[in-house]
Amino acid sequence: MLGGALHSKTQMENMHWSHKHSLVLCLLAMLQTPSLCQSEETTAVYIVTLKQAPASHHHHELITVAKNSGHGASGRRRTRVHKPRHQNVTKEDKGYASYFARVHDSLLNKVFKGEKYLKLYSYHYLINGFAVLVTQQQAEKLSRRREVSNVVLDFSVRTATTHTPQFLGLPQGAWFQTGGFETAGEGITIGFVDTGIDPTHPSFADDKSQHPFPVPANFSGVCEVTPDFPSGSCNRKLVGARHFAASAITRGIFNSSQDYASPFDGDGHGTHTASVAAGNHGIPVVVAGQFFGNASGMAPHSHISIYKALYRRFGGFAADVVAAIDQAAQDGVDIICLSITPNRRPSGIATFFNPIDMALLSAVKAGIFVVQAAGNTGPSPMTMSSFSPWIFTVGATSHDRVYSNSLCLGNNLTVPGLGLAPGTHENTMFKLIHARHALNKTTTVADAMYIGECQDASIFNQDLVQGNLLICSYSVRFVLGLSTIKQAIETAMNLSAVGVVFSMDPFVTSFQLNPVPMKIPGIIIPSANDSKILLQYYNSSLEIDGDSNKIVKFGAVASIGGGVEANYNDEAPKVVYYSARGPDPEDTLPHEADIMKPNLVAPGNLIWAAWSSAASDSDEFLGENFALMSGTSMAAPHVAGLAALVKQKFPNFSPAAIGSALSTSASLYDNNGRSIMAQRSYPTTDLNLSPATPFDMGSGFVNATAALNPGLLFDSSYDDYMSFLCGINGSTPTVLNYTGQNCWTYNSTVYGPDLNLPSITIARLNQSRVVQRTIQNIAGNETYNVGWSAPYGTSMKVSPNHFSIGSGEKQVLSVIFNATSNSSAASYGRIGLYGNQGHVVNIPVAVIFKIL
């Protein structure tokens, strides 16, 4: 269960052994019986941060290091590292890594003098620290050392297109402005911390474009080589790939064959997200033998680097994720995309203080734009799983493409349904046979409890089913994965059925059902009421012999319309019900933070994208090259790819400036010119809609074309974020612990509403408050008029309300808020800056508690 991963270079170079022989025996025992490694004292993984600054904080300082360091484990290695020809890891980077690893090893040796421990990682680029497997008592020993600033218990994390480029207007908009899809994203590398990648997928080949495709000179990543990720897996498109699993290994839950001890994606999620952001243009999507169009990433000419830290069977752990982030920053990626969220809200005085967010703060300091999924825990308020102002948080929306199917009954009723399946022969009705009435003579209902689910062809009478439509029951076992649509389709095919109809069990409620590919005519009736209509018609059409009580005639007939052809007239975008909502929780109590989350929304529902050849995350897409997935996981890479287009046009933009360009240009209206709506419940999603608020959609729906010409920018720096953290009550020791920096070095603290963000959130308005924003003009000379609408229960005034600004100049806006009523309900407003050259800058406003 551990062998393959322990031989990986990534793990081997970062593991330090104390009492090597006993631990090796322990780890070998874990291959057979993980419980054998449980000692009398419970061990756990801790992330330890040291006070000395990491390498990224002093690039130009000289550190003298020995040529040979003694850290790391020795032994045979089945994994080696392959470097694309144009990539070079600098001697300085290697020197830093060696120096910090030796410092970490020396400290551990001093503290534990003969005690057992296992170092999993040495972090050196964004964080100076390490992950180590120790007992609680040993962790307390570490925390008392003067060199140590912070000791945190590791925690778990989880994972959170063919048409969306057109829906986003890229071909005639942002792609056109960057020279077409052939050059969109050129020179930009996006790092994905996810479940890995399938390097054989055509979405990641480097021979699909006639345009030159050089590896960026500033990128220095490498490509692991393993039996399931062989030499040549990386290329000029996929420029780097590593995996991180040390924390999972120590817990005895990592299986090198099932989880793949390599960057290879055994889940599908990572392959999907990478192709959404940066997959090649024009790749045919063929699933279950049906053609669904051509796929493209948002930035199809950008580069991909993979940092696998999540796994299908158990998710992932912060220690591995931090190691992945640290490596991505060291490699020189321009953007980090995280379609992952913590399994719980971080403990401590503020949600911002956790190892992942603090590592990402250092990444932002290094100039990396960070995108994270909001989480799939909506639609209730304060369900946000991405917290910090330096992270660009993305919620999910629908788009205008819909796959609809229908079942036409012999009584002239039509029942709507789902299913990416062909229809039956036009103008031909076929007999309906329920699975319960199609058993062979040797099987009874009592013998086979789940016969209605159609999972075993051997229990049915083929003569009854052949040439007819088989009715199967979609029960809760499908939801749990105990039964599958794919197996029911196989059953129908083995019985020579014309097609299959799934009626919804009335006990299956509040479950999202996506269109599923089917090789033969098929349909799922997602509504229990519509399923009842179907079954009433079926039962009323049966002729039953009065004496024997046996069915003598099946009278019900139907035809399946088919669901392969898409229509593009749905009202969109809508914020989907599962997309996590603000306000942003500041702590575990939780209080509302003065930070607006999400930052914006993007397509995340029913997204076609690449799928791993060995992916097992979805039985319905097993063995397919593409899959139709939903989640904020799919929304985040849309924005990561679009951010690459902004970075390509404006290479000197800071991460905050990229976020500003995306935010202030976001759309507030759907494709019919109406206000964007938000789903408030499931399953009646479109029956419970209301206008989306900033806590549903942030600044609005991403508009990549407008983001390439934002006019005005709101910028923030690392120092601004540090001042913000220092402004949190009681945070000084925590800031020191995580960053090694004293709050007294900052002349003033900055509270959340005063961060120079392209939004304003005030969690508690006590009578009145003045908030300022500084904007910079990156366009030509322009004159702006300022308009605003005040949140309910407040009055608001912006000054100046009219200004002229030259190219490169800055302007300070002052916003005065006054409470006009006592209220604890959040209310919303907006500030609009309207330039005479066509630029429109949108600033959402939210005020929660109002106190007179």
Side-chain angles (χ1 to χ4, degrees):
M1 186 160 66
L2 297 171
L6 286 180
H7 290 292
S8 156
K9 180 175 177 67
T10 303
Q11 263 59 257
M12 290 291 287
E13 289 192 345
N14 291 301
M15 285 190 177
H16 175 88
W17 302 89
S18 176
H19 286 241
K20 180 163 63 176
H21 295 297
S22 61
L23 279 172
V24 168
L25 289 173
C26 174
L27 287 166
L28 288 173
M30 286 172 68
L31 293 171
Q32 303 298 324
T33 312
S35 61
L36 292 179
C37 275
Q38 294 177 354
S39 60
E40 294 179 6
E41 288 187 276
T42 302
T43 57
V45 176
Y46 291 85
I47 301 171
V48 180
T49 310
L50 304 188
K51 292 177 180 177
Q52 182 184 356
S56 64
H57 287 207
H58 45 70
H59 272 298
H60 306 294
E61 293 181 14
L62 295 176
I63 296 180
T64 303
V65 297
K67 289 184 178 179
N68 298 307
S69 64
H71 78 285
S74 59
R76 292 181 294 112
R77 297 176 182 174
R78 290 171 51 195
T79 301
R80 64 190 188 280
V81 172
H82 165 71
K83 286 174 29 178
R85 284 176 294 179
H86 300 290
Q87 300 173 8
N88 292 294
V89 178
T90 66
K91 291 181 180 179
E92 183 182 10
D93 287 335
K94 289 181 178 178
Y96 278 134
S98 174
Y99 167 76
F100 281 107
R102 289 191 299 111
V103 169
H104 301 161
D105 294 342
S106 175
L107 173 62
L108 288 166
N109 283 328
K110 288 178 184 175
V111 174
F112 297 138
K113 295 177 183 175
E115 298 178 21
K116 296 178 182 179
Y117 67 90
L118 177 63
K119 189 186 79 171
L120 309 182
Y121 296 106
S122 274
Y123 309 127
H124 75 277
Y125 194 74
L126 297 178
I127 292 177
N128 175 15
F130 49 85
V132 63
L133 179 70
V134 290
T135 66
Q136 183 179 347
Q137 290 75 17
Q138 288 176 310
E140 290 171 356
K141 276 187 183 180
L142 277 172
S143 68
R144 292 194 291 267
R145 293 289 299 194
R146 59 182 179 80
E147 305 98 317
V148 173
S149 63
N150 203 32
V151 178
V152 178
L153 183 66
D154 194 15
F155 57 89
S156 59
V157 296
R158 60 190 171 192
T159 56
T161 111
T162 58
H163 173 63
T164 49
Q166 285 73 28
F167 184 62
L168 292 166
L170 300 185
Q172 294 77 38
W175 285 353
F176 179 79
Q177 290 188 28
T178 57
F181 68 83
E182 284 277 6
T183 58
E186 185 173 276
I188 306 300
T189 303
I190 306 175
F192 296 87
V193 180
D194 215 298
T195 65
I197 196 167
D198 182 350
T200 67
H201 200 284
S203 290
F204 313 122
D206 64 356
D207 59 358
K208 300 298 181 183
S209 171
Q210 300 301 313
H211 195 79
F213 211 3
V215 175
N218 65 318
F219 183 78
S220 61
V222 298
C223 192
E224 283 184 24
V225 176
T226 69
D228 45 39
F229 209 85
S231 178
S233 294
C234 287
N235 53 41
R236 293 172 299 163
K237 175 74 173 176
L238 176 57
V239 294
R242 299 173 182 256
H243 86 287
F244 303 83
S247 184
I249 290 170
T250 64
R251 300 164 193 267
I253 61 175
F254 186 85
N255 184 307
S256 61
S257 58
Q258 294 182 28
D259 300 313
Y260 295 97
S262 78
F264 187 81
D265 184 10
D267 178 278
H269 188 272
T271 299
H272 199 278
T273 57
S275 70
V276 169
N280 286 324
H281 181 271
I283 308 301
V285 178
V286 178
V287 174
Q290 305 294 327
F291 175 67
F292 292 97
N294 293 312
S296 175
M298 301 299 103
H301 208 61
S302 60
H303 304 272
I304 294 168
S305 189
I306 297 298
Y307 304 87
K308 177 180 173 181
L310 282 93
Y311 300 83
R312 182 188 66 83
R313 295 185 308 112
F314 53 82
F317 299 95
D320 295 327
V321 171
V322 170
I325 294 168
D326 193 66
Q327 188 62 58
Q330 183 181 340
D331 289 348
V333 302
D334 300 289
I335 296 165
I336 291 177
C337 181
L338 297 118
S339 287
I340 64 174
T341 58
N343 278 325
R344 56 177 173 80
R345 192 172 291 146
S347 58
I349 64 169
T351 53
F352 321 116
F353 293 113
N354 68 80
I356 293 177
D357 284 36
M358 296 309 292
L360 293 172
L361 175 58
S362 288
V364 168
K365 182 181 182 182
I368 301 169
F369 183 66
V370 177
V371 183
Q372 186 178 25
N376 300 330
T377 48
S380 298
M382 204 181 288
T383 48
M384 191 59 52
S385 296
S386 175
F387 315 106
S388 298
W390 51 88
I391 298 172
F392 200 81
T393 304
V394 184
T397 71
S398 64
H399 53 96
D400 64 346
R401 184 188 60 209
V402 175
Y403 293 101
S404 57
N405 204 337
S406 61
L407 183 70
C408 182
L409 303 177
N411 60 358
N412 293 323
L413 290 177
T414 299
V415 178
L418 299 171
L420 301 173
T424 52
H425 297 299
E426 194 173 353
N427 300 321
T428 303
M429 304 291 274
F430 295 88
K431 192 180 297 183
L432 288 163
I433 309 287
H434 198 287
R436 289 182 174 274
H437 300 147
L439 300 177
N440 58 35
K441 293 181 180 180
T442 62
T443 307
T444 65
V445 173
D447 294 332
M449 186 181 300
Y450 306 112
I451 55 170
E453 297 169 8
C454 305
Q455 300 296 292
D456 182 5
S458 67
I459 66 174
F460 296 106
N461 183 342
Q462 184 170 357
D463 292 336
L464 280 175
V465 178
Q466 185 172 358
N468 298 319
L469 292 173
L470 179 65
I471 300 177
C472 305
S473 176
Y474 191 99
S475 73
V476 71
R477 287 170 54 84
F478 284 83
V479 179
L480 298 174
L482 301 175
S483 297
T484 68
I485 290 173
K486 194 164 191 173
Q487 185 57 49
I489 295 295
E490 290 296 322
T491 296
M493 292 173 64
N494 289 336
L495 297 172
S496 301
V498 169
V500 61
V501 178
F502 293 91
S503 64
M504 186 62 62
D505 189 305
F507 293 104
V508 180
T509 60
S510 300
F511 175 68
Q512 182 192 17
L513 192 62
N514 288 335
V516 174
M518 305 181 195
K519 295 178 180 178
I520 62 174
I523 187 171
I524 307 169
I525 312 300
S527 162
N529 288 333
D530 289 339
S531 295
K532 186 176 180 181
I533 291 171
L534 163 65
L535 296 177
Q536 284 176 341
Y537 164 65
Y538 172 80
N539 290 325
S540 67
S541 301
L542 295 174
E543 288 188 19
I544 301 176
D545 180 79
D547 296 326
S548 64
N549 206 33
K550 292 182 178 179
I551 299 171
V552 295
K553 183 180 179 181
F554 296 92
V557 295
S559 64
I560 297 173
V564 175
E565 296 295 326
N567 64 68
Y568 301 94
N569 54 15
D570 198 34
E571 187 175 276
K574 299 185 188 97
V575 180
V576 288
Y577 74 95
Y578 55 77
S579 186
R581 312 298 167 94
D584 187 15
E586 184 178 74
D587 49 39
T588 53
L589 292 178
H591 296 106
E592 297 85 355
D594 294 305
I595 304 296
M596 185 164 290
K597 293 288 180 179
N599 293 82
L600 50 64
V601 290
N605 204 54
L606 301 179
I607 305 298
W608 280 116
W611 200 239
S612 175
S613 57
S616 53
D617 184 49
S618 170
D619 287 324
E620 316 310 338
F621 292 98
L622 192 65
E624 301 288 357
N625 280 333
F626 284 86
L628 192 68
M629 294 284 122
S630 295
T632 56
S633 279
M634 286 68 244
H638 274 87
V639 172
L642 299 176
L645 305 183
V646 178
K647 180 76 173 177
Q648 179 187 10
K649 183 174 181 181
F650 303 103
N652 295 321
F653 268 18
S654 69
I658 296 173
S660 172
L662 290 165
S663 297
T664 61
S665 60
S667 175
L668 304 175
Y669 304 101
D670 65 18
N671 52 2
N672 291 323
R674 304 186 185 100
S675 294
I676 293 173
M677 305 295 280
Q679 297 173 351
R680 302 296 176 190
S681 66
Y682 186 85
T684 55
T685 53
D686 287 344
L687 298 180
N688 196 354
L689 293 168
S690 61
T693 73
F695 287 158
D696 298 319
M697 67 174 183
S699 293
F701 182 73
V702 66
N703 183 340
T705 303
L708 295 181
N709 184 23
L712 302 175
L713 287 183
F714 297 75
D715 207 356
S716 296
S717 67
Y718 173 82
D719 286 349
D720 294 326
Y721 299 132
M722 286 294 293
S723 295
F724 159 72
L725 293 174
C726 289
I728 297 171
N729 189 32
S731 68
T732 299
T734 308
V735 172
L736 180 63
N737 288 346
Y738 270 109
T739 68
Q741 296 177 261
N742 285 297
C743 283
W744 59 261
T745 62
Y746 294 90
N747 293 328
S748 61
T749 56
V750 173
Y751 298 104
D754 302 314
L755 268 175
N756 200 44
L757 304 175
S759 60
I760 299 173
T761 302
I762 301 176
R764 190 178 183 87
L765 177 60
N766 193 344
Q767 296 185 343
S768 65
R769 177 154 194 167
V770 178
V771 173
Q772 291 189 329
R773 290 293 184 269
T774 300
I775 48 179
Q776 182 174 11
N777 183 17
I778 64 163
N781 298 347
E782 194 161 1
T783 299
Y784 283 85
N785 288 315
V786 183
W788 62 86
S789 60
Y792 178 80
T794 74
S795 65
M796 190 171 99
K797 181 181 180 181
V798 184
S799 61
N801 60 12
H802 178 88
F803 62 90
S804 294
I805 187 168
S807 179
E809 292 181 352
K810 294 183 179 181
Q811 173 70 50
V812 176
L813 297 177
S814 294
V815 187
I816 303 172
F817 292 91
N818 288 287
T820 59
S821 65
N822 289 307
S823 173
S824 60
S827 54
Y828 312 98
R830 199 163 295 277
I831 300 171
L833 311 180
Y834 306 95
N836 63 354
Q837 300 301 312
H839 292 108
V840 177
V841 176
N842 156 48
I843 308 167
V845 176
V847 180
I848 305 175
F849 286 89
K850 278 81 67 174
I851 304 169
L852 282 173

